[in-house]
Amino acid sequence: MMYIRQRKEVKTTEVVDDLPAQEENGKLENKLPSGCTNGRFWKILSFTVGGTTALGIGLLTSVYLATLHENDLWFSNIKEVEREISFRTECGLYYSYYKQMLQAPTVMQGFYGLIYDNKTESMKTINLLQRMNIYQEVFLSILYRALPIQKYLEPVYFYIYTLFGLQAVYVTALYITSWLLSGTWLSGLLAAFWYITNRIDTTRVEFTIPLRENWALPFFAIQIAAITYFLRPNLQSLSERLTLLAIFISTFLFSLTWQFNQFMMLMQALVLFILDSLDMLPAVKATWLYGIQISGLLLVCILQFFNSMILGSLIISFNLSVIIVRKLQKNLKTGNFLNRIRKLLLHLFIVFCLTLFLNNIIKKILNLKSDEHIFKFLKAKFGFGATRDFDANLYLCEEAFGLLPFNTFARLSDTLLFYAYIFVLSITVIAALVVAFHNLSDSTIQQSMGKMGKCTVDLKPETAYNLIHTILFGFLALSTMRMKYLWTSHMCVFASFGLCSREIWELLLKLVHLYNPKRICIMRYSVPILILLYLCYKFWPGMMDELSELREFYDPDTVELMNWINSNTPRKAVFAGSMQLLAGVKLCTGRTLTNHPHYEDSSLRERTKAIYQIYAKRSPEEVHALLKSFGTDYVILEDSICYERRHRRGCRLRDLLDIANGHMMDGPGENDPDLKPADHPRFCEEIKRNLPPYMAHFTRVFQNKTFHVYKLSRNK
């Protein structure tokens, strides 16, 4: 097991807490020095100060997170094998391809090795560039070779510094989005402060560096900022074209770097669909964004050697359906309120049916089954029937795929973020409902209500987009904890925008009959400044203490295992075991694997279930035959899995295997009536007794407190 232990010597590291920005539309400048006659000068000054602050706070966030990573692991002082082991589970798998590219004699040979890989899955040659999102590792390895930095910077530091550098881009993009929405860079500063003080819930980059989301989310934030600017009315033609280019590039890079891109963009497409249907967004701009999503995904599909999962994704089918149905339903946005509602319901029904039809046709043509485990998981998660499917239950039992814990809201409330978010969300939802009702009403009703409505309620397209975005991604985060990082970072943006927004305070003060232009100015600047002072007062000492707390990486059992494999097994040996451990085996030793954590392939899922029979109630003959069918030479058993206590009964890996095999689970508790006692004891327990039936097929060659390695006999 891996531990983080306290270091004896303690140093202090200093971090500065300032934050990032961009864009104009600010009315802040008019309120600066009294008697100012040159508005343009103050606008340029404000833009310069805000932009400099944006870049500065982004860089400081990057340094802060990198320092935390160093302090937590003592990364600069530990051995290379320990550094690699610190990249846990799938992180280690991804980093291994960066290492593989650097170890190749030439770039072309490294590239060829990825396209025709026979070490990631034994007895198979797979195209890793098609299967996985690892172009970033390829690009980074080429860049490291090209730059004259080999003498000064180790490859691992070039890799992790790139990821921490992307965090600077991420925070800067969040800052800019908030600035664009509110018109003042003060809101961007507040958004960045909230992102840092809520670090536990906004990012996990410091301990999962190579994870795909840490590559993708900075580009996603850039895309949201670009969309926010694009949705502004009356943009000049050149500005609009440049913004569309920025949206396309960020969408493409986001899609290229994360395998879950299609699901995130489906949520975005739903945002556009809702706003377009309610006349809260120009239809032409919505069509442009649909087209960019499709073209970006198709370009990624080409680069990934026509990855069938992209072609068979719901986002492609949905966007095509929306565009087709809109062409057919030309009178969708005419008529009175009830007629509009009927047309909208019909429109929704047709789009839904056509999406399912197109998606089903595409999947049948491509014979696509790679994403079926996701739909099984969703079906079981939302109560559409229990399942005994091993893959679906594997997700259901993981905390990361469970509901968002309530203590998350306590942490977010401690920084006042959650309170501010609910405050801003409530006002903007009310405004959106009023605007939607006006848009859906006929002209007679609009004329009778228009005088009051138009002077008190207004919702800009960019604000409406971010409102629906935060609501949909909020539901996603509430249902699946792993996706909370998409919501909490945008929560910082949305809450800070609302507190600094002239429109929000104007609407609120009018509702309570306290409207006054001076009061609006006072509220939109004093409230965020007071919150910033509160955050500095409450969290600065804790951040300094955190930076002064030095620990170090400590996992002697895994280090011993990796060193033994390197010293005592052939280079071409094939290893079987848990997905998480085997990723480390590949990175640290370069040995061939039977299975790995990138779970997005149906044949790999079947293979993993077969390998995991080492933790089920199976005979030694059956287990030996299964392992040999994948060319296994050595199998690694982990006590932490065989005697697992982390999960409740019914969610332990051995329980999932028992249920899938139709066997009764161990321990006190109920079993389904149709489950039967197994004919054999649990393999991982019984093999340690060195009984003749087991010794005939398996020979123990390594053992420590955590791992047991057995060599398979050649006989069948």
Side-chain angles (χ1 to χ4, degrees):
M1 297 289 290
M2 180 184 112
Y3 304 95
I4 302 297
R5 65 182 184 184
Q6 200 73 28
R7 288 190 224 164
K8 292 181 181 178
E9 65 275 13
V10 179
K11 309 176 201 174
T12 57
T13 305
E14 193 172 312
V15 127
V16 185
D17 216 39
D18 252 298
L19 302 174
Q22 189 204 22
E23 231 330 35
E24 58 173 79
N25 192 33
K27 298 176 183 176
L28 164 67
E29 305 78 11
N30 300 329
K31 302 297 177 185
L32 285 171
S34 57
C36 174
T37 56
N38 193 342
R40 170 175 277 185
F41 170 77
W42 291 110
K43 184 177 289 189
I44 293 172
L45 179 63
S46 176
F47 181 85
T48 304
V49 172
T52 304
T53 305
L55 296 175
I57 203 66
L59 291 172
L60 287 171
T61 303
S62 173
V63 172
Y64 171 60
L65 294 171
T67 305
L68 289 178
H69 174 259
E70 167 63 25
N71 290 359
D72 205 36
L73 299 177
W74 206 359
F75 200 75
S76 60
N77 191 64
I78 58 178
K79 299 175 183 177
E80 185 67 21
V81 66
E82 292 176 309
R83 289 176 179 176
E84 293 177 348
I85 292 171
S86 72
F87 296 140
R88 313 300 289 190
T89 65
E90 61 185 294
C91 297
L93 183 69
Y94 298 133
Y95 182 79
S96 73
Y97 300 123
Y98 170 72
K99 180 180 177 181
Q100 181 178 324
M101 282 290 295
L102 289 177
Q103 289 177 342
T106 65
V107 170
M108 289 308 299
Q109 284 178 281
F111 203 71
Y112 183 88
L114 295 179
I115 297 175
Y116 300 97
D117 178 89
N118 54 14
K119 296 181 74 69
T120 302
E121 293 178 19
S122 58
M123 303 181 72
K124 286 183 71 175
T125 298
I126 61 174
N127 185 342
L128 292 169
L129 294 176
Q130 180 187 52
R131 181 81 72 81
M132 303 181 192
N133 298 73
I134 57 169
Y135 268 103
Q136 50 267 51
E137 276 74 23
V138 174
F139 172 75
L140 218 57
S141 66
I142 295 172
L143 193 60
Y144 183 78
R145 284 172 179 264
L147 295 174
I149 57 174
Q150 287 88 347
K151 293 182 180 179
Y152 317 105
L153 194 65
E154 296 175 63
V156 66
Y157 276 105
F158 183 67
Y159 187 91
I160 66 173
Y161 286 166
T162 299
L163 268 300
F164 288 126
L166 280 175
Q167 282 296 301
V169 175
Y170 191 18
V171 172
T172 303
L174 297 176
Y175 183 115
I176 291 170
T177 305
S178 186
W179 185 357
L180 288 170
L181 287 168
S182 67
T184 170
W185 56 262
L186 184 63
S187 69
L189 186 63
L190 180 57
F193 261 79
W194 263 331
Y195 180 86
I196 294 171
T197 53
N198 291 282
R199 175 180 55 81
I200 293 174
D201 296 300
T202 55
T203 183
R204 50 178 174 168
V205 66
E206 72 270 23
F207 58 90
T208 59
I209 295 175
L211 209 61
R212 302 299 84 179
E213 68 188 45
N214 295 328
W215 285 97
L217 291 186
F219 300 118
F220 192 55
I222 292 171
Q223 186 219 43
I224 294 170
I227 289 175
T228 299
Y229 183 75
F230 174 68
L231 294 179
R232 287 182 163 191
N234 305 319
L235 281 183
Q236 292 183 355
S237 178
L238 179 60
S239 297
E240 194 171 81
R241 290 176 184 176
L242 291 175
T243 308
L244 283 171
L245 179 62
I247 294 171
F248 173 77
I249 293 173
S250 56
T251 300
F252 165 70
L253 292 174
F254 169 69
S255 303
L256 189 66
T257 51
W258 198 15
Q259 68 268 30
F260 292 141
N261 58 67
Q262 53 183 286
F263 305 105
M264 302 308 106
M265 286 208 286
L266 178 61
M267 300 290 286
Q268 267 195 329
L270 288 173
V271 173
L272 298 173
F273 179 72
I274 292 169
L275 295 175
D276 184 24
S277 299
L278 297 176
D279 282 353
M280 299 173 75
L281 193 72
V284 175
K285 290 191 174 184
T287 304
W288 269 109
L289 295 175
Y290 288 136
I292 285 175
Q293 284 188 330
I294 294 173
S295 57
L297 280 171
L298 290 179
L299 182 55
V300 171
C301 180
I302 293 170
L303 284 175
Q304 289 194 296
F305 297 82
F306 297 94
N307 187 323
S308 59
M309 271 194 73
I310 296 176
L311 293 174
S313 63
L314 276 173
I315 176 66
I316 297 287
S317 302
F318 178 78
N319 284 7
L320 289 175
S321 300
V322 171
I323 294 170
I324 292 169
V325 174
R326 184 194 285 155
K327 293 291 183 182
L328 297 176
Q329 274 188 298
K330 294 182 179 179
N331 297 322
L332 179 65
K333 298 182 179 181
T334 58
N336 59 32
F337 182 77
L338 291 178
N339 283 335
R340 288 287 302 273
I341 294 295
R342 292 192 196 99
K343 289 180 180 180
L344 272 181
L345 292 175
L346 178 62
H347 181 66
L348 178 63
F349 177 74
I350 295 173
V351 168
F352 177 75
C353 291
L354 185 57
T355 299
L356 294 181
F357 174 75
L358 288 176
N359 191 250
N360 194 40
I361 291 294
I362 293 171
K363 284 184 175 179
K364 283 188 175 179
I365 293 172
L366 299 175
N367 192 27
L368 180 61
K369 296 181 180 178
S370 297
D371 59 353
E372 62 181 7
H373 65 298
I374 297 173
F375 295 103
K376 288 179 183 177
F377 159 71
L378 293 173
K379 182 180 176 183
K381 182 178 179 68
F382 295 110
F384 295 103
T387 180
R388 288 186 180 176
D389 182 77
F390 175 75
D391 302 318
N393 283 328
L394 204 58
Y395 281 106
L396 286 169
C397 287
E398 279 300 319
E399 184 183 5
F401 292 93
L403 300 176
L404 189 67
F406 281 110
N407 61 8
T408 305
F409 300 107
R411 291 193 298 270
L412 295 174
S413 300
D414 199 35
T415 63
L416 304 181
L417 172 59
F418 189 64
Y419 299 130
Y421 177 76
I422 293 299
F423 166 73
V424 175
L425 185 66
S426 302
I427 295 174
T428 48
V429 165
I430 292 170
L433 291 174
V434 173
V435 170
F437 179 78
H438 277 259
N439 291 344
L440 292 175
S441 302
D442 64 10
S443 57
T444 306
I445 297 177
Q446 285 193 40
Q447 286 173 5
S448 64
M449 299 180 63
K451 288 186 179 179
M452 180 193 72
K454 288 186 179 179
C455 68
T456 58
V457 180
D458 184 31
L459 200 66
K460 298 175 181 176
E462 61 267 32
T463 305
Y465 171 82
N466 280 275
L467 169 64
I468 306 301
H469 178 104
T470 197
I471 290 173
L472 291 190
F473 279 88
F475 282 125
L476 180 65
L478 291 171
S479 66
T480 308
M481 188 184 76
R482 183 176 177 178
M483 299 300 172
K484 72 174 180 178
Y485 302 102
L486 289 153
W487 182 44
T488 49
S489 58
H490 193 265
M491 186 188 290
C492 299
V493 170
F494 198 75
S496 60
F497 135 71
L499 294 182
C500 297
S501 169
R502 175 180 294 275
E503 291 77 15
I504 295 293
W505 286 113
E506 182 178 344
L507 176 60
L508 181 64
L509 293 175
K510 282 182 177 179
L511 287 174
V512 295
H513 305 291
L514 292 173
Y515 172 73
N516 184 297
K518 289 185 178 180
R519 285 198 184 105
I520 292 176
C521 184
I522 292 170
M523 295 302 290
R524 70 186 292 236
Y525 295 127
S526 62
V527 171
I529 288 172
L530 288 173
I531 293 176
L532 285 169
L533 292 173
Y534 166 79
L535 293 175
C536 290
Y537 171 77
K538 183 167 184 179
F539 293 99
W540 182 263
M543 290 172 68
M544 292 301 100
D545 291 341
E546 191 178 34
L547 288 169
S548 66
E549 187 176 0
L550 304 182
R551 304 180 183 185
E552 66 177 314
F553 176 89
Y554 186 71
D555 189 1
D557 289 349
T558 307
V559 171
E560 185 185 11
L561 172 67
M562 299 304 172
N563 287 335
W564 180 87
I565 292 174
N566 272 321
S567 303
N568 297 278
T569 64
R571 292 287 301 172
K572 294 185 178 180
V574 178
F575 278 80
S578 69
M579 295 183 289
Q580 296 83 356
L581 179 62
L582 289 185
V585 170
K586 185 180 190 311
L587 171 57
C588 298
T589 72
R591 300 305 190 263
T592 304
L593 313 180
T594 55
N595 54 307
H596 54 83
H598 195 272
Y599 215 52
E600 314 306 319
D601 180 75
S602 58
S603 64
L604 176 65
R605 293 195 293 272
E606 293 172 5
R607 176 184 282 235
T608 299
K609 183 181 175 183
I611 297 295
Y612 276 8
Q613 297 304 310
I614 58 179
Y615 296 109
K617 297 172 181 176
R618 303 293 288 265
S619 70
E621 294 79 13
E622 289 176 300
V623 173
H624 184 271
L626 283 170
L627 294 176
K628 272 299 180 183
S629 68
F630 302 115
T632 308
D633 296 311
Y634 297 87
V635 59
I636 307 173
L637 296 175
E638 300 170 65
D639 287 345
S640 58
I641 297 178
C642 191
Y643 306 108
E644 182 184 0
R645 295 177 182 175
R646 184 169 67 94
H647 290 102
R648 59 179 172 81
R649 184 177 185 269
C651 264
R652 300 168 298 189
L653 179 61
R654 62 179 187 266
D655 296 335
L656 301 183
L657 290 163
D658 289 343
I659 294 169
N661 293 338
H663 298 154
M664 296 175 65
M665 294 181 287
D666 294 336
E670 296 183 357
N671 288 284
D672 290 342
D674 59 329
L675 295 178
K676 300 177 181 179
D679 296 330
H680 304 280
R682 194 168 303 283
F683 177 83
C684 64
E685 296 176 358
E686 203 69 9
I687 192 174
K688 294 167 188 173
R689 297 176 59 191
N690 294 325
L691 297 175
Y694 293 85
M695 294 181 67
H697 299 284
F698 302 92
T699 303
R700 184 160 55 198
V701 291
F702 174 83
Q703 177 184 3
N704 62 21
K705 290 184 291 184
T706 305
F707 306 106
H708 303 261
V709 181
Y710 293 86
K711 185 175 182 179
L712 276 68
S713 63
R714 294 182 180 275
N715 61 304
K716 297 184 180 180

